[in-house]
Amino acid sequence: VIIYNREGLPVGANPAALRVCGFDPVGVRPAEFIRRLKIRQSDGKRLRVEELPCQQALAGEPIRGMRLNLTDAGGRELTVLASSSPLPRGPDLLGSVCVWHDVTERERLLAELEQRVEERTADLQSSLQRLKQEMHVRAVAEAALRESEERYRTLFDDAPVGIVTTDFRGRIHHANQAACAMFGVPADLLETAQVKSFYAKPAERARLLSDVRRLGRVESRELTLQRLDGARFDGAVRMSRVELSGRRMLLSIVQDLTSKKKAARHNDGVARLLELFATKSSRREYLNAVVRLLREWCQCGGVGIRLVDADRCLPYAASVGFSRRFLKAEGEMCLDDDECPCLRVLQGRPRSG
C-alpha cells in the first residue's frame, strides 16, 4: 500500500511495499519509480507516468485490478493487480491510495492447473477415440473385441473423471470408479440405480436429454447433481449418443466443480476485501463495510469486529445483525478481568466444567 499526495509523490508506504521496492518510495518521482522497478504493462510495454494507477486516480479515474509486471528488489519478476482511488477531504483532493496485490504465485498455479487439465482432457479424448475404433473392430472380429476389452476397461476405470453409460430410459449400464466416488455409492449399487436419482433438478436432465436427442451431443453443461445421501454439488456434464453392442446408448462424462468454485469464491472474497480497503475513506466506514461483506459471504445472522482499546477492553468497532441488548452486554468484555470462556482459552487459562 502506497499513499500519494495530490502532486503524485509518495508520502507513505507500508512494510510490504518497502520489501517489494527494496527502497523507501517516499518522495521518489513517478518516472524514477517506474525506472527502478521496471514497471510494464501486461503486454510488456514500459508504463508511462500518466498510466500509473495513482496518477489516474488523481485525475478522477479510480482503477480496479490493473494488471502490471515489475521487477522487485531481489530481481524477481512479479505480476500484480493494482487498484487506486482518490483520497478526498470535503471538496478538496488530498491525494490517492494505491494497493498492489501480488498474484504471481496464483497465476503460476492457475497456468499449471490449466495445463494439467488440458493434458488430461487430451488423454481422455484420445482414449475415447480409441474406444470408438475398438467398437468398430467388434463388428469385424469377436476375437479382437475380447482381446481389447480388458485394456479399455482399465482405461475406463482409471479415468480421472466420472464416466457413465446409460440407456435412454435412464438405466445405468456401466460406471467407473471416479463416478462411484463422486456420487458416493459402490459400483454394484450404482449400476442398478436410475440415473435420474443423481440429478437434483429433474428439469435440467430433461433439457439435457432433449438437446442430446436433437444435436447428438452436448459438449459441457453445468448442472446441479446430488450424491446418494442427498448432498448436492455442481457438476459439468458432457453427454453424447453412442452405439455399444448394437444398442443406442448415452455416454456421460462428469466433472465435480466443487473445488473449482470454492477457489473462485475465495478469490472473489479476497478481491472484494481489497477493493473495500482501497475505496473506503475511514476506518469506521471500512470496518462497517467488512462486517456487511462477511455476513453476506458467510450467510450468518450476525458478524462483529472487536478492537482492543487503551484499557485492554474489547468493544465492537463494527457489527451487523446483533441486538442492542447483546452489544451492550458483550461490549464490556475486558482482557484483564472478564471470565468469558473464550477469553480464558485465548489467555491460556482453560477451565473444565
Side-chain angles (χ1 to χ4, degrees):
V1 178
I2 302 178
I3 307 297
Y4 296 83
N5 63 18
R6 59 187 178 183
E7 285 77 33
L9 291 178
V11 295
N14 70 348
L18 296 177
R19 287 194 300 270
V20 172
C21 294
F23 60 88
D24 189 348
V26 172
V28 177
R29 295 194 171 278
E32 177 65 11
F33 186 77
I34 293 174
R35 185 190 69 79
R36 293 177 71 173
L37 289 179
K38 301 178 182 178
I39 304 176
R40 307 175 299 280
Q41 298 179 2
S42 58
D43 60 2
K45 294 181 179 178
R46 181 64 64 90
L47 200 69
R48 300 195 302 269
V49 170
E50 61 270 21
E51 294 175 332
L52 279 170
C54 62
Q55 298 292 331
Q56 297 189 54
L58 290 172
E61 298 182 7
I63 299 301
R64 300 287 181 272
M66 176 186 288
R67 191 175 185 276
L68 298 173
N69 298 321
L70 56 89
T71 304
D72 71 0
R76 294 185 307 144
E77 293 296 322
L78 301 180
T79 300
V80 300
L81 295 180
S83 298
S84 186
S85 296
L87 293 174
R89 184 173 67 183
D92 299 323
L93 180 65
L94 294 179
S96 65
V97 58
C98 187
V99 179
W100 291 24
H101 180 207
D102 185 358
V103 296
T104 307
E105 182 65 13
R106 186 187 74 182
E107 293 204 351
R108 185 189 70 79
L109 291 175
L110 287 176
E112 182 179 328
L113 178 60
E114 290 176 356
Q115 181 179 356
R116 290 181 179 179
V117 170
E118 290 176 357
E119 290 174 353
R120 293 197 175 189
T121 301
D123 290 342
L124 182 58
Q125 289 175 341
S126 177
S127 299
L128 292 175
Q129 183 63 33
R130 289 196 299 270
L131 180 59
K132 290 181 180 179
Q133 294 172 355
E134 189 61 30
M135 289 166 54
H136 175 70
V137 172
R138 178 183 300 179
V140 178
E142 188 66 23
L145 171 67
R146 288 194 300 269
E147 182 181 357
S148 60
E149 264 187 349
E150 185 61 30
R151 181 171 70 254
Y152 286 104
R153 185 65 184 181
T154 301
L155 175 66
F156 179 84
D157 287 337
D158 294 341
V161 294
I163 303 178
V164 183
T165 58
T166 64
D167 55 33
F168 279 84
R169 292 176 296 180
R171 180 174 174 270
I172 298 174
H173 287 253
H174 300 285
N176 69 348
Q177 296 175 5
C180 296
M182 187 181 303
F183 292 104
V185 293
D188 56 347
L189 181 57
L190 186 64
E191 294 188 2
T192 59
Q194 285 289 320
V195 71
K196 64 182 180 181
S197 62
F198 300 109
Y199 286 82
K201 300 176 181 179
E204 289 185 347
R205 178 174 180 268
R207 286 193 294 270
L208 178 64
L209 289 176
S210 176
D211 290 343
V212 171
R213 287 190 176 99
R214 180 169 53 88
L215 303 173
R217 64 186 301 146
V218 171
E219 284 299 326
S220 182
R221 180 165 299 177
E222 189 172 322
L223 304 173
T224 303
L225 306 174
Q226 65 182 7
R227 299 179 174 86
L228 184 64
D229 60 5
R232 296 188 175 190
F233 66 96
D234 293 325
V237 178
R238 177 186 298 175
M239 182 180 290
S240 59
R241 291 185 309 201
V242 296
E243 186 170 319
L244 298 174
S245 301
R247 300 177 58 186
R248 294 177 62 194
M249 304 286 288
L250 292 172
L251 174 66
S252 300
I253 302 175
V254 187
Q255 181 182 6
D256 189 344
L257 300 178
T258 303
S259 298
K260 180 180 179 180
K261 289 203 165 188
K262 184 178 179 181
R265 185 169 181 264
H266 170 79
N267 291 336
D268 178 68
V270 172
R272 293 173 67 182
L273 284 173
L274 290 173
E275 182 178 358
L276 290 178
F277 182 83
T279 57
K280 300 305 177 182
S281 59
S282 67
R283 186 179 75 173
R284 177 177 293 276
E285 185 180 0
Y286 171 69
L287 293 178
N288 286 334
V290 169
V291 294
R292 290 194 297 269
L293 172 61
L294 292 178
R295 183 186 185 187
E296 173 192 344
W297 197 73
C298 300
Q299 297 182 348
C300 58
V303 173
I305 296 177
R306 295 177 183 270
L307 296 179
V308 181
D309 61 18
D311 298 323
R312 291 176 56 79
C313 291
L314 291 166
Y316 279 105
S319 65
V320 62
F322 296 140
S323 67
R324 292 183 179 178
R325 180 179 178 183
F326 175 85
L327 291 174
K328 181 178 180 181
E330 290 292 315
E332 299 175 357
M333 184 181 295
C334 184
L335 287 173
D336 294 326
D337 56 15
D338 198 273
E339 286 301 311
C340 172
C342 299
L343 285 179
R344 289 202 305 272
V345 172
L346 288 174
Q347 296 168 355
R349 301 185 293 115
R351 187 169 65 200
S352 61

